[in-house]
Amino acid sequence: MEAAAAIIAVICALVVAFAVIAMVRAVRAVKRGVDRTVTQARRTVEDTRLKARQYTAPGAAGEVAQLRLSLRTSMRATQEVLRSGMADDSSLSESMALFERLSAHGRELEEDLRKLETEPDRDRVAARLPDLRERTERITHSADSLRWAAQDRARQFADDDLTLLSEQIRMEAGALRHWEDEAEAASPEPQPGAKSQARATDRAATSAPGAGQSAGPGAGPERPAINGRNDRWQAGYSWQKTKRPESTA
């Protein structure tokens, strides 16, 4: 009894431990989902604000908002392309490492632009804009180059795979039609003069006198195969004439 009670206690403890672990994992998953949703919502709100500001704010303030929006859009698009491509192409890991280094410069530039956006001194903003514009163009150009190269690589792999697949399908279709090759191999090749001889024989048989008529004496002309009447309908009605035999004069 004591051994059975100990076994039951151990089983209950394991069940409770597994339940606690499952609950902790579920809570963490929910928390990650909530954080991801909140982050995406904040990003959407910030992008919408920058889009509105670049059209409504005059002068340097609008240009700063435009630079921030351009930087955020380029970096985010490149990150999504590289992350999605790494699942099928492991060679993109080096590109992803380079992008992480580029992201550090992008975050630093984003912080400088954000601070400059709230700068009350317009002259200072106008003085720093050329340098910030150049840095933004360099970072976005590097990010775009990585993204375009990854997209071209994926497209080339897809084209090569499609070409190989088309060739394999063509070979398989030819193998499925093997009976055509067997029929051509089984049929004997006609002699060079066989066709001309057969055509001459058919022409002679067609032009012979009495073709299509019986050769016996007293044989009449051949009756047509279809005379437009059905003999079964000729008898049994009082208003129809009786069919006369052919021997009657």
Side-chain angles (χ1 to χ4, degrees):
M1 292 296 293
E2 294 180 357
I7 293 175
I8 293 175
V10 170
I11 293 175
C12 292
L14 291 176
V15 170
V16 172
F18 287 145
V20 171
I21 293 174
M23 185 178 299
V24 170
R25 289 183 176 179
V27 170
R28 289 179 179 177
V30 171
K31 184 177 182 300
R32 287 194 300 267
V34 172
D35 293 341
R36 191 182 305 112
T37 303
V38 171
T39 302
Q40 186 175 2
R42 289 177 179 175
R43 183 184 304 162
T44 303
V45 171
E46 184 67 15
D47 291 346
T48 304
R49 188 186 68 84
L50 290 176
K51 288 179 181 179
R53 187 175 177 82
Q54 71 174 343
Y55 293 114
T56 57
E63 187 173 356
V64 170
Q66 182 181 1
L67 292 177
R68 284 191 64 192
L69 183 62
S70 174
L71 177 65
R72 292 163 63 92
T73 303
S74 177
M75 299 295 287
R76 188 182 306 124
T78 304
Q79 184 180 35
E80 291 177 357
V81 169
L82 293 179
R83 284 184 177 177
S84 61
M86 285 181 61
D88 299 327
D89 189 1
S90 59
S91 61
L92 291 179
S93 58
E94 185 176 355
S95 301
M96 192 66 186
L98 294 175
F99 177 75
E100 292 297 335
R101 294 174 56 187
L102 183 65
S103 298
H105 293 277
R107 286 190 292 269
E108 182 180 355
L109 176 61
E110 167 75 9
E111 184 66 19
D112 291 342
L113 289 172
R114 188 183 63 81
K115 291 178 180 178
L116 193 64
E117 189 178 7
T118 57
E119 175 64 39
D121 190 355
R122 299 304 176 185
D123 295 335
R124 179 176 174 80
V125 173
R128 293 195 58 188
L129 263 181
D131 178 63
L132 295 176
R133 188 185 304 113
E134 181 184 359
R135 288 173 59 190
T136 304
E137 291 176 355
R138 291 175 60 185
I139 293 177
T140 55
H141 177 72
S142 298
D144 293 341
S145 298
L146 280 176
R147 183 176 70 255
W148 295 336
Q151 291 174 345
D152 293 342
R153 180 181 177 86
R155 189 180 304 109
Q156 183 62 38
F157 282 169
D159 292 342
D160 294 343
D161 184 69
L162 180 58
T163 302
L164 179 60
L165 179 61
S166 300
E167 181 65 20
Q168 292 176 350
I169 291 176
R170 186 188 64 79
M171 296 176 62
E172 181 65 18
L176 291 175
R177 294 192 180 95
H178 62 87
W179 68 84
E180 296 181 357
D181 299 335
E182 295 178 356
E184 292 178 359
S187 60
E189 291 292 335
Q191 298 297 328
K195 293 184 178 181
S196 59
Q197 185 178 359
R199 286 196 294 267
T201 304
D202 295 341
R203 194 180 302 110
T206 305
S207 60
Q213 299 179 357
S214 58
E222 183 179 359
R223 299 179 62 187
I226 300 177
N227 54 12
R229 298 177 299 173
N230 194 334
D231 294 338
R232 292 179 299 178
W233 295 350
Q234 300 301 320
Y237 298 97
S238 58
W239 59 84
Q240 293 180 344
K241 295 182 180 180
T242 304
K243 184 179 181 181
R244 299 177 62 187
E246 294 181 359
S247 59
T248 306

